[in-house]
């Protein structure tokens, strides 16, 4: 009997989370973004990754709340720790484009790989392009170093270069 009580106390909160998430999704689909926010926000604060991602999307677009892309990034970062592939993809784009974060191709590729490994179609198709771009940048960087070194006067030290 004690096991049954323990099981029920563990399952009831999950059921409530599921109901609230579904209601929030319905509100979003009906363009009632304020209600969606009000339902997703407590779920996100309780650690629900999908709700974290959705709050980020609301903040990014300013739907139902004042647009705040910095908060969107924060929520997507939190969702990323929950391994939410859509958050990984959105963050990857942000880092690739340098929108609300410093442009960082390596971080973008890392995030796209995480999303692609979970089957995110856009991440999977865009990843080879990013990897080629990174390879090109590395080759250009090595070429500059090589040209700078080969053109140095004999006797000059690397520190002087």
């Amino acid at each position: 009997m004690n096991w049954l009580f323990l099981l029920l106390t563990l399952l009831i909160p999950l059921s409530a989370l599921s109901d609230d998430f579904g209601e929030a999704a319905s509100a979003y689909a009906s363009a009632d973004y304020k209600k969606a926010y009000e339902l997703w926000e407590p779920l996100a604060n309780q650690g629900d990754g999908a709700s974290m991602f959705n709050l980020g999307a609301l903040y990014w677009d300013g739907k139902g709340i004042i647009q705040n892309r910095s908060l969107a990034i924060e929520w997507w970062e939190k969702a990323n720790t929950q391994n939410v592939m859509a958050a990984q993809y959105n963050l990857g784009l942000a880092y690739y484009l340098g929108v609300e974060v410093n442009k960082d191709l390596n971080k973008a590729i890392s995030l796209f790989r995480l999303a692609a490994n979970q089957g995110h179609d856009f991440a999977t198709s865009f990843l080879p392009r990013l990897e080629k771009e990174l390879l090109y940048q590395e080759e250009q960087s090595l070429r500059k170093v090589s040209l700078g070194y080969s053109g140095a006067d004999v006797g000059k030290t690397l520190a002087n270069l």
Side-chain angles (χ1 to χ4, degrees), residues 5 10 15 17-19 32 43 50 53 60-61 81 90 92 99-100 108-110 113 126 137 139 142 158 161:
F5 176 75
L10 292 175
S15 174
L17 285 177
S18 176
D19 290 345
D32 189 351
L43 298 176
F53 168 76
W60 189 266
D61 293 330
T81 67
N90 283 8
V99 178
E100 293 300 319
I109 288 172
S110 174
R113 279 189 187 135
F126 198 50
Q137 287 180 4
E139 288 172 352
L142 285 173
L158 186 58
L161 294 174

Side-chain angles (χ1 to χ4, degrees), residues 36-145:
Y37 173 84
E38 290 169 355
L39 291 166
W40 275 326
E41 197 260 343
L43 298 176
N45 284 324
Q46 293 172 30
D48 181 65
S51 296
M52 292 173 184
F53 168 76
N54 290 327
L55 278 185
L58 290 174
Y59 275 112
W60 189 266
D61 293 330
K63 291 183 174 178
I65 51 177
I66 295 172
Q67 185 178 43
N68 186 330
R69 291 193 167 171
S70 294
L71 275 176
I73 295 291
E74 287 179 33
W75 280 114
W76 288 338
E77 290 284 2
K78 290 176 184 179
N80 176 38
T81 67
Q82 300 291 321
N83 211 26
V84 177
M85 71 176 170
Q88 294 162 343
Y89 175 77
N90 283 8
L91 284 171
L93 279 178
Y95 280 101
Y96 175 69
L97 299 171
V99 178
E100 293 300 319
V101 293
N102 291 328
K103 190 171 183 168
D104 186 336
L105 187 55
N106 285 310
K107 190 158 188 164
I109 288 172
S110 174
L111 289 159
F112 271 84
R113 279 189 187 135
L114 290 172
N117 287 339
Q118 294 186 72
H120 194 283
D121 291 339
F122 292 126
T124 301
S125 62
F126 198 50
L127 188 57
R129 176 182 171 191
L130 295 181
E131 290 170 335
K132 282 182 185 177
E133 189 173 326
L134 179 63
L135 183 60
Y136 176 78
Q137 287 180 4
E138 289 172 348
E139 288 172 352
Q140 292 303 311
S141 187
L142 285 173
R143 186 169 182 249
K144 287 178 185 176
V145 169

